[in-house]
Amino acid sequence: MKTLAKLPVTIVTGFLGSGKTTLLRHMLDNAQGRRIAVIVNEFGELGIDGDILKQCSIGCSEEEATGRVYELANGCLCCTVQEEFFPVMRELVARRGDLDHILIETSGLALPKPLVQAFQWPEIRNACTVDAVITVVDSPAVAAGTFAAYPDQVDAQRKLDPNLDHESPLHELFADQLASADLVVLNKADLIDAEGLAKVRAEVQEELPPAVKVIEASSGRLPLEVLLGLGAESEVHIDGRRTHHDSHHDEDGEHDDHDHDAFDSISLDLPEADERLLLDALGQLVAEFGILRAKGFAAVPGKPMRLLIQGVGSRFDKHFDRPWRSDEARITRLVLIGQDLDAAVLEARLRQALGA
């Protein structure tokens, strides 16, 4: 029996809305015969990103597409990796003769380092190697000083006090995602001017070892030769990468609560909703409650298609993605991510705005 080479694994990390899912979809669309398994982990009670990947059937039947997307349950990978990551990886390792590559998308608030360290565990180390950690950066958000498109008033406050930078859990998380990177993608490069992009590149390079490449992209469109086959063996040198979260231990040696536990992710189910009323209401809630991310889908009265909504800060993208199936309820389902969010208050405000 021939010895199998180690299966390469690419970990894609980056903030909420930076374009990780778009990058993954581009990679799958251009797989050129590579047999790729995908593990999607979403910070939220619904695997909406997984849902998006499943329907984009990446050139195969729906049954095959469902079989290729492994969704982990809620929570960031650094908290749930031991409970949830192993069974999925064990299954993929058992099938590694059928696979050429594994892609793992971390949640927007997950720290990549503990996930990379999991590849040091014998059961995984003998079968897999981390080909690279790719960190996707939302270039316009970094240019605005917000990293994850914080609402304008928070950004104005931050600019008045330069000392806030490193006290912000968002800035620490941003730095930690860069600290673990083998390749950094400055995404959405087409949305800012050359001067803004140069500043983003300089800021990002301050946080990086000199050997780490930084490349620009629009909508995650990069040749696969640039993204795969880096051979970084990240698990071998990850312990030497210093991050803000390395020393969070209490006296018993247990981990303290992670900084990003301060982020809430709430899921709301609402009735059918007028598109304009819903987007206006979400815009107001983003400004008032500092919501970082809104995502989900809406049932619009009289429309046979489902309306997919993705918002980062005050920027919203929407499109009708697929017809409603006859066996599913026409409801509106949203996940809102932010700090100190009150689900009951947000649901009441949305229902009031929609007249529901």
Side-chain angles (χ1 to χ4, degrees), residues 6 9-10 15 39 63 68 86 121 137 157 159 165 202 256 261 304 340 346 356:
K6 286 190 180 184
V9 178
T10 297
F15 258 138
I39 299 174
E63 292 74 33
R68 285 167 69 171
F86 261 134
W121 298 341
V137 171
Q157 182 186 8
K159 283 183 174 144
D165 256 7
D256 285 346
D261 287 346
D340 302 321
L346 292 168

Side-chain angles (χ1 to χ4, degrees), residues 104-176:
I104 301 177
E105 177 189 3
T106 69
S107 81
L109 299 172
L111 297 166
K113 185 170 179 176
L115 177 59
V116 177
Q117 287 170 321
F119 283 83
Q120 298 169 346
W121 298 341
E123 199 172 338
I124 301 182
R125 187 181 67 215
N126 295 334
C128 301
T129 181
V130 179
D131 185 57
V133 175
I134 299 176
T135 298
V136 184
V137 171
D138 183 334
S139 302
V142 175
T146 60
F147 313 110
Y150 249 133
D152 296 342
Q153 71 273 27
V154 179
D155 186 38
Q157 182 186 8
R158 191 199 64 79
K159 283 183 174 144
L160 289 173
D161 184 357
N163 299 319
L164 280 179
D165 256 7
H166 281 277
E167 291 168 15
S168 147
L170 270 182
H171 190 282
E172 284 191 3
L173 282 163
F174 180 69
D176 284 0

